[in-house]
């Protein structure tokens, strides 16, 4: 896996999945590779009460009931729709679930304004059609059709970003569990095998872009992923995901707890400011999600490793935060400057610690971008 920029979960955790499969004696729906209990354990990690001979690390941080409802839905006749704000881990949970259930999380359709019905059904290899005519051999199945044929999990990212006609095409797949191929005279229906299901994701902030029809909503069980508000849980998520990302660069670094607290507090302050803002101009364009915290921390660690003293500093962290969150000029820079002067400066005087250096680094970054 060292030659892969980002290995899918089934490859990254292959040894762990193999071991879980070897000790799993629970009932498995359809062609699932793991029982529902083992799927939950793979996602949420093991506890001492599970009585396993080895520890299974936690990979997704959230409420157990959310994961359990998602697993139950995949074993039912309905699709699973994970909905929530950007950066709440919807795609990561979908990937983990698919990896645990069928050991293939790569059957993915990305929803955009340019996504067509062909992307979720099939298309044709033009050169093969010219040479041999239309046949199953010349047909190019979509990831969803491949999932149907193999009894696997198909994923549809950003469902509400796709147009209504694409969404309508998904209704028949979820209802009838087959795809007709009218271009063929025989063997012109692709039936879904047991185990097939669809995990879709949607951003709650996309409401109104391409709203789901009531018919499509009925084919999904909605599981809402809340924004992480618990400081301890968010710290675990940021630390876990950042360490994973940095291993690609062979960087083993323990993030100082004081600097992690500075990052978490800064995002908490900026979120509170955004919630109290009277207009969009008074809010940062950034969603201030947990995923963006991870990006800020990774950027700061890499900068310090490549161009600094091979350690994370408050100054570098502040520069990374400003550089990552200042997307509009001058609006976002003004908001960040106000935050530094109104919140960070008094805190640096009262609390000291890493805050004075963080304040200085933030000011320098704003001056550079202004």
């Amino acid at each position: 896996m060292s030659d892969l920029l980002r290995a899918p979960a089934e490859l990254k955790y292959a040894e762990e999945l193999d071991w879980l499969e070897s000790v799993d004696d629970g009932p498995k729906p359809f062609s699932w590779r793991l029982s529902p209990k083992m799927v939950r354990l793979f996602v949420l990690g093991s506890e001492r009460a599970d009585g396993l001979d080895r520890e299974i690390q936690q990979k997704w941080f959230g409420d157990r009931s959310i994961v359990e409802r998602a697993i139950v839905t995949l074993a039912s006749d309905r699709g699973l729709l994970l909905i929530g704000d950007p950066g709440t881990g919807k795609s990561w949970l979908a990937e983990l679930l698919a990896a645990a259930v069928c050991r293939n999380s790569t059957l993915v359709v990305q929803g955009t304004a340019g996504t067509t019905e062909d992307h979720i059904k099939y298309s044709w290899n033009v050169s093969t059609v010219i040479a041999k005519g239309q046949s199953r051999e010349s047909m190019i199945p979509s990831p969803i059709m491949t999932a149907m044929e193999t009894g696997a999990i198909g994923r549809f990212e950003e469902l509400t970003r796709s147009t209504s006609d694409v969404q309508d095409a998904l209704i028949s797949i979820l209802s009838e569990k087959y795809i007709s191929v009218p271009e063929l005279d025989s063997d012109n229906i692709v039936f879904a095998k047991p185990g097939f299901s669809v995990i879709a994701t949607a951003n709650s902030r996309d409401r109104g872009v391409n709203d789901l029809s009531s018919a499509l909503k009925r084919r999904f069980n909605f599981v809402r992923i809340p924004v992480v508000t618990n400081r301890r849980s968010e710290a675990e998520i940021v630390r876990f995901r950042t360490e994973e990302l940095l291993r690609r660069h062979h960087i083993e670094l323990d993030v100082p707890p004081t600097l992690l607290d500075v990052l978490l507090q800064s995002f908490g302050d900026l979120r509170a400011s955004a919630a109290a803002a009277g207009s969009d101009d008074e809010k940062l364009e950034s969603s201030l999600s947990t995923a963006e915290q991870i990006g800020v921390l990774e950027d700061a660690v890499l900068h310090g490793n490549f161009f600094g003293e091979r350690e994370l500093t408050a100054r570098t962290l502040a520069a990374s935060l400003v550089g990552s969150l200042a997307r509009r000029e001058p609006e976002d820079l003004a908001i960040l400057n106000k935050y530094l002067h109104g919140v960070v400066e008094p805190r640096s005087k009262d609390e000291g610690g890493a805050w004075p250096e963080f304040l200085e680094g933030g000011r320098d970054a704003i001056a550079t971008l202004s």
Side-chain angles (χ1 to χ4, degrees):
M1 290 192 303
S2 60
D3 59 342
L4 299 180
L5 180 61
R6 182 192 179 281
E10 61 271 17
L11 296 182
K12 185 173 186 177
Y13 302 109
E15 190 272 335
E16 194 173 274
L17 286 166
D18 287 339
W19 186 84
L20 287 172
E21 198 169 334
S22 70
V23 300
D24 188 5
D25 57 1
K28 303 177 183 65
F30 311 117
S31 56
W32 285 26
R33 300 289 292 271
L34 293 176
S35 65
K37 285 186 176 180
M38 283 298 188
V39 173
R40 183 188 65 186
L41 194 146
F42 171 71
V43 174
L44 294 177
S46 60
E47 300 175 353
R48 184 173 299 179
D50 294 315
L52 297 179
D53 294 334
R54 60 172 288 179
E55 181 183 3
I56 303 299
Q57 68 177 126
Q58 186 173 5
K59 304 167 190 67
W60 189 81
F61 297 82
D63 193 278
R64 171 179 292 209
S65 64
I66 292 174
V67 177
E68 290 178 349
R69 177 166 166 76
I71 295 170
V72 169
T73 297
L74 293 177
S76 73
D77 198 42
R78 299 165 69 84
L80 169 63
L81 179 62
L82 302 175
I83 186 168
D85 283 354
T88 49
K90 302 182 296 296
S91 297
W92 179 232
L93 177 57
E95 181 177 341
L96 290 171
L97 290 170
V101 168
C102 63
R103 299 293 285 268
N104 188 353
S105 65
T106 62
L107 299 173
V108 183
V109 173
Q110 181 65 50
T112 68
T115 303
T116 66
E117 191 173 329
D118 291 351
H119 290 113
I120 63 172
K121 288 187 173 181
Y122 59 88
S123 56
W124 299 97
N125 184 319
V126 177
S127 60
T128 306
V129 170
I130 294 173
K132 302 180 179 180
Q134 289 180 320
S135 65
R136 279 295 188 96
E137 183 183 352
S138 59
M139 190 169 68
I140 303 174
S142 70
I144 299 297
M145 179 180 279
T146 300
M148 295 175 69
E149 292 182 298
T150 58
I153 302 293
R155 295 170 52 202
F156 200 126
E157 290 289 310
E158 309 287 1
L159 179 58
T160 51
R161 291 280 178 179
S162 57
T163 57
S164 57
D165 57 327
V166 174
Q167 294 180 17
D168 288 344
L170 193 60
I171 294 176
S172 62
I173 293 175
L174 292 172
S175 299
E176 308 301 333
K177 300 297 191 293
Y178 68 78
I179 295 177
S180 297
V181 188
E183 295 91 340
L184 301 181
D185 294 329
S186 61
D187 194 19
N188 57 1
I189 299 180
V190 176
F191 292 97
K193 291 185 178 179
F196 165 71
S197 191
V198 173
I199 304 177
T201 64
N203 282 328
S204 51
R205 295 194 180 196
D206 286 343
R207 185 172 299 169
V209 176
N210 289 299
D211 287 335
L212 303 183
S213 67
S214 57
L216 186 55
K217 287 179 180 178
R218 289 197 301 271
R219 271 70 180 183
F220 280 110
N221 271 351
F222 283 55
V223 174
R224 297 190 176 275
I225 311 296
V227 174
V228 178
T229 55
N230 182 279
R231 182 82 167 267
R232 182 177 177 182
S233 297
E234 190 164 43
E236 290 176 342
I237 296 170
V238 173
R239 185 183 294 108
F240 171 76
R241 292 293 287 159
T242 303
E243 289 174 353
E244 280 200 328
L245 291 168
L246 292 175
R247 287 193 194 106
R248 297 185 310 195
H249 299 281
H250 306 289
I251 297 174
E252 296 290 340
L253 176 70
D254 291 328
V255 177
T258 53
L259 293 185
L260 185 58
D261 284 342
V262 167
L263 177 66
L264 293 170
Q265 184 64 60
S266 297
F267 266 72
D269 294 337
L270 291 167
R271 286 169 181 164
S273 176
S279 66
D280 288 341
D281 288 340
E282 298 174 0
K283 301 178 183 178
L284 289 170
E285 190 176 79
S286 163
S287 65
L288 297 170
S289 67
T290 303
E292 288 180 312
Q293 286 191 67
I294 294 167
V296 168
L297 185 55
E298 182 191 18
D299 178 80
V301 170
L302 289 175
H303 191 279
N305 189 75
F306 295 150
F307 303 111
E309 301 298 325
R310 292 185 176 273
E311 64 179 4
L312 180 64
T313 66
R315 175 184 289 275
T316 308
L317 184 64
S320 175
L321 183 142
V322 171
S324 298
L325 301 186
R327 299 175 182 176
R328 300 174 301 173
E329 187 180 346
E331 294 91 345
D332 285 350
L333 287 177
I335 293 170
L336 290 169
N337 191 52
K338 181 180 178 181
Y339 166 65
L340 289 175
H341 284 282
V343 178
V344 178
E345 185 174 352
R347 186 176 291 151
S348 66
K349 293 177 181 178
D350 296 339
E351 301 180 18
W355 288 105
E357 186 182 346
F358 182 81
L359 173 63
E360 188 177 349
R363 284 173 169 170
D364 289 347
I366 289 177
T368 301
L369 293 174
S370 297

